[in-house]
């Protein structure tokens, strides 16, 4: 389902929403997009419900892995390329998984692949190596 509010330059998409952008791939339940006043691009995009964002790094540094963010709410501002995750967010990069321990924790995922967490969280490291026999 899609609707557009012409007066306020807002588009809303509902259902199993999938967005493929050069910066990331996003899936969510609802996506609200606010267009710039001149409609020359997106001012901000807000995703809600079962948000999963997979960051696509354009020029990854050696050893740098793509990031997978999960949350109840995500905001994206194309001007900076940064993603903000709220409502029990988590960010997984390789074997490292940063997980919120409080509902109010906020995680920022920069377009460079760097992340920052504000609020309670824990790091879970999953060793996926096979045991030596």
């Amino acid at each position: 389902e899609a609707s557009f509010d012409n007066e306020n330059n807002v588009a809303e998409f509902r259902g199993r929403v999938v967005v493929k952008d050069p910066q990331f791939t996003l899936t969510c339940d609802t996506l609200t997009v606010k267009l710039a006043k001149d409609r020359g691009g997106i001012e901000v995009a807000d995703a809600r419900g079962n948000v999963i964002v997979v960051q696509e790094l354009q020029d990854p540094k050696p050893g740098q892995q793509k990031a997978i963010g999960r949350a109840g709410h995500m905001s994206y501002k194309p001007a900076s390329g940064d993603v903000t995750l709220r409502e029990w967010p988590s960010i997984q990069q390789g074997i490292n998984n940063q997980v919120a321990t409080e509902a109010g924790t906020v995680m920022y995922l920069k377009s460079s692949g760097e992340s920052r967490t504000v609020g309670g969280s824990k790091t879970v490291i999953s060793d996926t190596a096979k045991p030596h026999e």
Side-chain angles (χ1 to χ4, degrees):
E1 176 184 337
S3 62
F4 187 72
D5 179 345
N6 223 9
E7 188 175 314
N8 294 309
N9 292 332
V10 175
E12 185 170 275
F13 305 90
R14 292 182 176 273
R16 189 178 182 303
V17 181
V18 178
V19 177
K20 292 187 186 270
D21 182 88
Q23 297 281 339
F24 57 80
T25 300
L26 166 71
T27 59
C28 62
D29 295 337
T30 303
L31 177 65
T32 304
V33 178
K34 172 107 171 110
L35 299 175
K37 288 185 172 57
D38 64 0
R39 294 193 186 177
I42 296 172
E43 187 175 305
V44 66
D46 276 311
R48 293 191 180 272
N50 300 305
V51 176
I52 300 173
V53 60
V54 179
Q55 185 182 50
E56 305 295 338
L57 298 172
Q58 300 301 320
D59 297 309
K61 297 173 186 157
Q64 188 177 28
Q65 307 217 1
K66 70 180 176 184
I68 301 169
R70 292 177 171 81
H73 176 226
M74 180 202 87
S75 295
Y76 170 65
K77 294 188 177 178
S80 66
D82 296 344
V83 169
T84 303
L85 300 165
R86 293 183 168 82
E87 297 176 18
W88 295 104
S90 68
I91 296 176
Q92 181 178 351
Q93 290 176 295
I95 64 171
N96 298 317
N97 193 8
Q98 191 73 22
V99 181
T101 58
E102 304 169 354
T105 298
V106 179
M107 295 184 182
Y108 302 93
L109 187 55
K110 300 201 165 284
S111 59
S112 64
E114 298 171 4
S115 62
R116 182 171 66 97
T117 300
V118 177
S121 69
K122 64 182 178 181
T123 301
V124 178
I125 299 173
S126 302
D127 185 4
T128 57
K130 294 180 182 174
H132 294 87
E133 294 183 20

